[in-house]
């Protein structure tokens, strides 16, 4: 890849790595027994789409140290997308989300394969859980077999346990906070551990560790990556309720119906008066929430200025991330690419 950052070219490289690797693994999985065919299909479906931001941050964590472009590094970076695919399958299952990228989520799609069973829903959910587990295992396999020297991989391997621990801690925190009293500070902690760290900070640190980054650069990666990762998820919060489903590929009602601990809902509650809280209380967590109910939640949010508050939080975090980036002594192509990635991660419609 030339020093000029071309996100489309990079995405194509990662897509090709994932397509070949997961297709081969899915074929071997399905070869065990014909019954496994629908499960194997979900392995491939899980990696069919994506912005490949996590792979990009890993790649530029490597390049910012001064290392050259490398196909082996691209394979290592692609493993970050398998971590994401595993997290998405599990997250959709936990939240009972019906759509992802405009298609049925794994546990919904697998119902078709087991619809003749009396407990089809439970069976499909169990199968989806195992799809997510296998994807996480495949992430480690792709990383270990990427082709980089063993000494490079050894530098980065300890970060994988940190990544997994923090990601699962964040998911657990979200489960434990779901339905609880809205609290912006608690919501931001969920965001940090569930999304920010494994989306930006850890891929950067893993790429940097592979390349032999020093302490100062690693500290700079965290100073850039954490606020940017939070801004990424805050944008997701807004898109979850106000984005167009044809762009987001997800259902607008998920966060409200699930009474999830998003910063957007927490800020709305903080700003609300007693009458608005009564109105919201009747809608948050309602499994029967319809379009009118969702519009009512949006109306309260907009009237109180909660979306503007989230926009301000996004802007402040992006500014903090870019300030940290500008303090780092990295090659101009890396600085340019990381600046562009900050924009694409937070100014988007999906």
């Amino acid at each position: 890849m030339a020093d000029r950052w071309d996100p489309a070219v990079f995405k194509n490289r990662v897509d090709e790595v994932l397509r070949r690797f997961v297709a081969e693994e899915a074929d071997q999985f399905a070869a065990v027994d014909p019954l496994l065919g629908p499960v194997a299909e979900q392995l491939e479906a899980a990696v069919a789409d994506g912005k490949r931001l996590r792979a990009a941050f890993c790649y530029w964590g490597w390049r910012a140290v001064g290392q050259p472009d490398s196909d082996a590094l691209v394979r290592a970076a692609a493993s970050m997308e398998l971590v994401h695919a595993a997290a998405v399958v599990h997250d959709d299952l936990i939240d009972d989300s019906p759509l992802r990228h405009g298609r049925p989520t794994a546990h919904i799609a697998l119902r078709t394969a087991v619809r003749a069973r009396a407990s089809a829903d439970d069976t499909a959910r169990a199968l989806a859980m195992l799809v997510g587990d296998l994807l996480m295992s495949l992430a480690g396999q792709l990383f270990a077999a990427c082709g980089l020297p063993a000494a490079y991989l050894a530098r980065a391997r300890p970060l994988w346990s940190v990544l997994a621990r923090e990601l699962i801690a964040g998911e657990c925190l979200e489960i434990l906070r779901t339905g609880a009293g809205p609290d912006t500070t608690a919501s931001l902690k969920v965001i940090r551990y569930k999304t920010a760290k494994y989306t930006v900070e850890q891929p950067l640190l893993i790429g940097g560790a592979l390349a032999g980054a020093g302490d100062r650069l690693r500290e700079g990666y965290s100073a850039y990556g954490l606020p940017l990762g939070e801004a990424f998820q805050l944008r997701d919060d807004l898109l979850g309720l106000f984005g167009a489903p044809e762009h987001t590929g997800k259902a607008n009602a998920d966060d409200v119906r699930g009474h999830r601990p998003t910063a957007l809902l927490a800020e709305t509650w903080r700003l609300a008066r007693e009458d608005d809280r009564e109105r919201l209380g009747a809608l948050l967590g309602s499994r029967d929430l319809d379009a009118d109910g969702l519009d009512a939640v949006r109306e309260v949010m907009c009237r109180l200025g909660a979306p503007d508050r989230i926009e301000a939080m996004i802007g402040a975090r992006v500014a903090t991330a870019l300030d940290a980036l500008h303090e780092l002594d990295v090659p101009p192509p890396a600085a340019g690419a990381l600046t562009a990635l900050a924009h694409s991660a937070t100014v988007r419609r999906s």
Side-chain angles (χ1 to χ4, degrees):
M1 178 179 287
D3 283 343
R4 186 182 65 81
W5 173 232
D6 189 329
V9 170
F10 180 79
K11 181 181 183 306
N12 288 340
R13 292 174 75 185
V14 173
D15 285 346
E16 184 63 14
V17 169
L18 292 173
R19 185 190 65 78
R20 290 187 177 185
F21 176 75
V22 176
E24 182 177 338
E25 291 295 329
D27 286 346
Q28 293 183 27
F29 184 82
V32 173
D33 192 288
L35 277 175
L36 297 174
V39 183
E41 289 175 8
Q42 289 308 305
L43 287 173
E44 296 190 81
V47 298
D49 299 286
K51 303 173 187 68
R52 310 313 185 199
L53 288 173
R54 292 157 186 85
F57 284 118
C58 183
Y59 177 86
W60 286 105
W62 162 276
R63 292 292 306 276
V65 182
Q67 293 279 14
D69 177 62
S70 159
D71 287 338
L73 189 279
V74 171
R75 288 191 288 273
S79 69
M80 301 292 100
E81 298 298 329
L82 288 172
V83 172
H84 177 53
V88 164
V89 170
H90 284 151
D91 195 49
D92 287 341
L93 177 60
I94 291 165
D95 295 338
D96 200 21
S97 297
L99 293 174
R100 176 73 63 165
H101 299 297
R103 295 194 303 271
T105 49
H107 65 284
I108 300 296
L110 284 164
R111 286 180 190 171
T112 302
V114 296
R115 62 182 179 273
R117 292 173 174 262
S119 56
D121 285 358
D122 289 344
T123 301
R125 294 178 67 84
L127 292 173
M129 177 185 69
L130 294 170
V131 168
D133 292 347
L134 183 51
L135 285 165
M136 185 64 84
S137 174
L138 293 178
Q141 181 181 332
L142 178 58
F143 183 81
C146 69
L148 288 173
Y152 288 27
L153 298 176
R155 291 195 295 247
R157 192 167 292 117
L159 294 176
W160 275 79
S161 61
V162 177
L163 182 154
R165 179 173 64 246
E166 293 180 340
L167 171 57
I168 294 171
E171 190 69 68
C172 289
L173 283 174
E174 182 179 63
I175 292 169
L176 294 167
R177 292 293 313 176
T178 292
D183 181 289
T184 302
T185 300
S187 293
L188 290 172
K189 188 170 190 178
V190 170
I191 282 172
R192 171 165 287 208
Y193 283 91
K194 182 190 171 189
T195 303
K197 283 177 167 285
Y198 98 91
T199 297
V200 186
E201 183 197 27
Q202 288 296 343
L204 278 168
L205 289 172
I206 288 172
L210 289 169
D215 291 344
R216 185 174 181 277
L217 187 54
R218 292 198 302 270
E219 290 169 1
Y221 284 170
S222 292
Y224 164 87
L226 280 173
L228 183 58
E230 290 179 2
F232 172 88
Q233 183 56 44
L234 288 169
R235 176 62 62 201
D236 252 19
D237 286 356
L238 283 174
L239 289 171
L241 263 174
F242 293 96
E246 61 268 26
H247 294 142
T248 66
K250 295 183 281 188
N252 284 130
D254 280 0
D255 287 347
V256 177
R257 188 175 288 135
H259 197 175
R260 296 175 191 162
T262 68
L264 176 58
L265 290 176
E267 279 296 284
T268 301
W269 190 265
R270 185 183 66 80
L271 295 166
R273 301 184 303 270
E274 183 176 351
D275 56 338
D276 284 327
R277 288 187 176 185
E278 289 181 6
R279 192 179 185 193
L280 289 169
L283 296 167
L284 297 178
S286 172
R287 305 308 295 180
D288 298 323
L289 185 76
D290 57 15
D292 289 340
L294 189 59
D295 285 342
V297 173
R298 291 190 183 111
E299 186 277 327
V300 172
M301 288 179 167
C302 292
R303 176 162 45 78
L304 296 175
D308 293 336
R309 287 279 305 160
I310 301 302
E311 287 286 2
M313 293 166 70
I314 292 170
R317 282 162 173 75
V318 172
T320 297
L322 292 178
D323 285 346
L325 177 61
H326 295 155
E327 291 295 317
L328 294 177
D329 182 20
V330 299
L338 291 171
T339 299
L341 282 167
H343 179 83
S344 58
T346 55
V347 182
R348 54 194 171 87
R349 298 189 298 171
S350 64

